[in-house]
């Protein structure tokens, strides 16, 4: 695994991977991935410190991909800017958030992104405007690129008001999601109807369903938690069972949100 300290390191890593014919994968905080039990046979490029710049230019936030999204939410709120305050409980990086079009409480990255800097597999830097990114629900359509930096268009708001919103949302999240248990984030995308994936899984009677150490969370049915000794294979079996049961009982085909990687 490589933790690049600067953009040049990412370019060198991609060159190395290309020369050696090694597959590569970029990760942020790994909060929406399930790595299979055989691991990932290649180079993992993990963006974090070093690529986590944060700068406000007027109402535009210029943010490195490695910055944790909750920190972005806090720092912009402190500075009196609204637009990402509702992301306070999304436990990933800004790069992962842009790539996944992460969102919460009715807000998503697609609404605030104005420009993204990416590196293609050949190490070439590109600047993409919002219009060039085919965002949809929980997807950016960016393809095989590395998000390095994003510009976010925000609006002015009183810090006290933003912090009040964040306090409320954070308490709600702590009470309603398995924040302190290992898990791979929301497993399924919400299917778009009146009911969320979590509601459907609960309605199908699957809260608490378990295989090995992998449990459908009692707190929120769209999370599968590891209670100590779950393998990725256990989690995948639970996913398969949930998907088939919801399709059979409720006639809804659930689509995966979590990215399954490795062998
Ligand atoms: C308890 C919990 C609560 C969550 N709540 C929410 C929520 O409310 N809303 C929501 O949308 N998500 C939620 N998630 C999921 C997750 O936090 C988000 O999808 C987050 O944005 C992923 O960021 P990450 O840096 O961890 O990405 P990772 O999990 O590391 O990667 C996810 C995907 O993005 C790609 N990727 C990561 N970084 C980059 C980059 N710099 N360039 C290109 N591709 C990249 C990876 O290759 C992978 O395909 C939750 C997860 C947990 C565990």
């Amino acid at each position: 695994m490589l933790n690049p300290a600067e953009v040049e390191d990412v370019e060198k890593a991609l060159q190395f991977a290309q020369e050696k014919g090694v597959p590569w994968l970029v990760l942020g905080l790994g909060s929406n991935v399930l790595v299979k039990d055989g691991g990932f046979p290649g180079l993992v490029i993990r963006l974090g410190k070093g690529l986590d710049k944060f700068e406000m230019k007027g109402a535009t936030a210029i943010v490195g991909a490695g910055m944790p999204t909750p920190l972005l939410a806090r720092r912009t709120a402190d500075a009196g800017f609204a637009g990402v305050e509702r992301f306070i409980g999304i436990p990933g990086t800004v790069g992962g958030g842009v790539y996944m079009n992460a969102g919460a409480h009715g807000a998503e990255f697609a609404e605030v992104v104005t420009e993204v800097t990416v590196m293609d597999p050949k190490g070439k830097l590109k600047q993409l405007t919002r219009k060039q990114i085919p965002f949809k629900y929980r997807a950016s359509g960016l393809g095989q690129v590395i998000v390095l930096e994003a510009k976010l268009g925000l609006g002015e708001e009183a810090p006290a008001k933003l912090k009040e919103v964040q306090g409320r949302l954070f308490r709600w999240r702590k009470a309603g999601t398995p924040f302190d248990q290992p898990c791979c984030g929301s497993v399924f995308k919400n299917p778009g109807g009146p009911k969320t994936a979590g509601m459907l899984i609960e309605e199908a009677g699957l809260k608490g369903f378990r295989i090995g150490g992998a449990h459908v969370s009692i707190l929120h049915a769209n999370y599968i938690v590891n209670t100590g000794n779950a393998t990725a294979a256990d989690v995948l079996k639970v996913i398969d069972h949930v998907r088939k049961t919801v399709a059979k009982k409720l006639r809804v085909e659930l689509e995966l949100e979590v990215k399954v990687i490795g062998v």
Side-chain angles (χ1 to χ4, degrees):
M1 177 156 69
L2 177 92
N3 294 292
E6 51 186 311
V7 171
E8 256 179 36
D9 295 342
V10 182
E11 192 185 338
K12 282 186 202 152
L14 290 175
Q15 269 165 8
F16 170 85
Q18 196 161 25
E19 277 165 25
K20 304 277 177 200
V22 173
W24 59 269
L25 168 77
V26 59
L27 285 183
L29 282 163
S31 63
N32 218 174
V33 294
L34 175 65
V35 184
K36 290 190 187 170
D37 297 312
F40 176 73
L43 175 65
V44 175
I45 303 168
R46 228 203 109 207
L47 302 198
K49 278 214 176 309
L51 288 169
D52 58 349
K53 96 172 207 188
F54 174 78
E55 190 188 326
M56 289 301 306
K57 263 197 182 161
T60 299
I62 305 167
V63 195
M67 186 182 203
T69 298
L71 192 57
L72 167 74
R74 213 167 298 132
R75 290 192 67 179
T76 51
D78 286 345
F81 292 100
V84 293
E85 69 279 6
R86 282 175 280 173
F87 300 169
I88 187 77
I90 302 179
T93 60
V94 169
V98 170
Y99 192 80
M100 299 286 290
N101 188 18
H105 313 288
E108 58 180 17
F109 268 93
E111 289 166 10
V112 285
V113 164
T114 57
E115 200 179 296
V116 174
T117 305
V118 299
M119 188 174 276
D120 75 10
K122 291 192 171 137
K124 203 167 158 239
L125 284 173
K126 284 187 193 164
Q127 228 85 33
L128 302 173
T129 62
R130 165 68 184 83
K131 276 194 184 152
Q132 291 173 291
I133 307 173
F135 280 118
K136 52 183 188 166
Y137 170 66
R138 297 297 172 266
S140 60
L142 278 167
Q144 220 206 358
V145 296
I146 298 182
V147 175
L148 293 173
E149 194 176 284
K151 287 191 180 149
L152 311 173
L154 308 177
E156 287 183 30
E157 185 55 271
K161 192 168 169 191
L162 296 170
K163 284 184 196 165
E164 190 273 314
V165 170
Q166 290 185 326
R168 191 161 29 85
L169 296 180
F170 201 67
R171 284 192 293 279
W172 180 88
R173 282 202 155 237
K174 271 185 102 174
T177 48
F179 240 65
D180 52 354
Q181 284 177 293
C183 68
C184 52
S186 300
V187 175
F188 297 102
K189 293 182 181 179
N190 290 326
K195 291 180 184 165
T196 63
M199 288 173 187
L200 292 164
I201 298 165
E202 186 171 350
E203 202 173 309
L206 291 165
K207 257 192 174 177
F209 174 80
R210 61 183 291 178
I211 291 177
H215 288 224
V216 175
S217 167
I218 297 290
L219 269 183
H220 190 312
N222 199 22
Y223 289 84
I224 297 172
V225 294
N226 179 357
T227 53
N229 57 355
T231 61
D234 292 337
V235 178
L236 286 169
K237 281 184 209 151
V238 172
I239 289 175
D240 191 49
H241 179 78
V242 168
R243 199 185 340 223
K244 285 184 179 146
T245 308
V246 169
K248 197 170 158 198
K249 286 193 177 171
L250 305 168
R251 309 244 164 270
V252 179
E253 297 289 337
L254 290 175
E255 194 190 327
L256 274 190
E257 178 167 326
V258 61
K259 303 282 184 197
V260 180
I261 54 182
V263 292

